[in-house]
Amino acid sequence: MHKITNDISHSKSSTLYAFAYFFERASYYGIRSIIVLYLVGESLNFSHNEALALYGWVTFFILITKFIGAFLGDLLKGNRIFILVGGVLQSLGCFSLCFESTTSLYVGLGLITFGSGLFTSNTLAQFGKEYLNKPKLLDAGFTSLFVGINFGSFLGVLIIGYIGGLDFKYGFFMAGVLTVIAAILVLFTNENEELSLISYKSVKSGKKLIYIISGIIVSAIFWMVYENNYFFIYGIQKKVFDGISIIPKAYLGVGFSSYFGIIIISILAFTWSYIYTNSFFKLFLGLVVSAISFIILLIIPDTLNSFGLILFLLSSFLLALGEMLISPILFSITTRFSKPKYLAIMLALVTIPSFLFNKVFGLIAEYIVEIDSNMIFSASVFILVVFAVLAYVLSLISKRDDRIYLSKETKEFLS
């Protein structure tokens, strides 16, 4: 680790983008928390299967519109203008849902889908460009952005879920207001220059590609393991807390790692602002602590007691720590080693493998459930350790490039 003593301040625009993303994510996840209930309600009277099918198509097309938004932002008018367009479209979509009709439903969901795609891909790119002249803060910057994402999704589900429970149209209206606020915040950002990092110029194209692909693989593997252990972990959680009436069942519906994650990501965002650590070493740490979390699950006694409760909470904490060490770093690595002109496209592309891995393993999830949980946990530990070794090797290889980050030449460039 290298202590950083020079500029550790985040720019005004990066802060505004982070808050804009916070409000947009609150709106998006708030809509997601009530849309299925709205569809199966008395007004539209969808069947449960029809509602889930429509929900699935919306999430799929949002992935597609991320690429459309990225291409439009990078190759046409610029990322910032399409962030604003996306925010406006998303707001109109939320307000359209306030009118109880099938036409308003499809118009609203279409606008939300396209607007969210435009907003998210271009916001990530604009946010990343804010750190092209502060390379040491890239990891800290994206970790800070994930603070906004996690808090936004948590509060969005909580607030819009509650308001939507009283009346759906008020929940949709609140979601629209949140995206309006997000768009307004973007108006106060500055146009950033597409600077190119000295470290980016000094790294050979082949090595840059290896770094990006390695980050993609590590992230995809982590999420594959995470998603395919979710039901086993939830089952243990249900057994551990069965009979503890002081914890509302609604809170138990969310994994405890999610609650830990909000705290952990905030601490990490502050820490990485002052301490520079190699990005691949962060991935290594994330995989190691995640592997330890599954080892702990293996030793939880069948007859649950207070010791089992402590072990489960420790496992949840370590899994949350692993997630928060890994998730933001993929975007940081991609930003560092991609050409700034095509940054939105690259940031959209790197999300594909995780999506595909989750879909493929989702199809075989029903067969995995039949396997003993200890076998799944043991296999997860093995997979995570193997890729942790890969991440550690990459951290050693990339140390030379990090020295350029910390060199006198780079400091002069940044002054």
Side-chain angles (χ1 to χ4, degrees), residues 97 147 182 190 201 214 232 249 264:
L97 293 178
V147 173
N190 299 320
K201 292 179 179 179
S214 299
F232 294 108
K249 292 188 181 297
I264 292 169

Side-chain angles (χ1 to χ4, degrees), residues 205-223:
S205 296
K207 190 186 277 190
K208 282 184 285 192
L209 187 60
I210 290 172
Y211 287 151
I212 293 173
I213 292 175
S214 299
I216 292 171
I217 291 173
V218 168
S219 179
I221 290 296
F222 170 80
W223 284 110

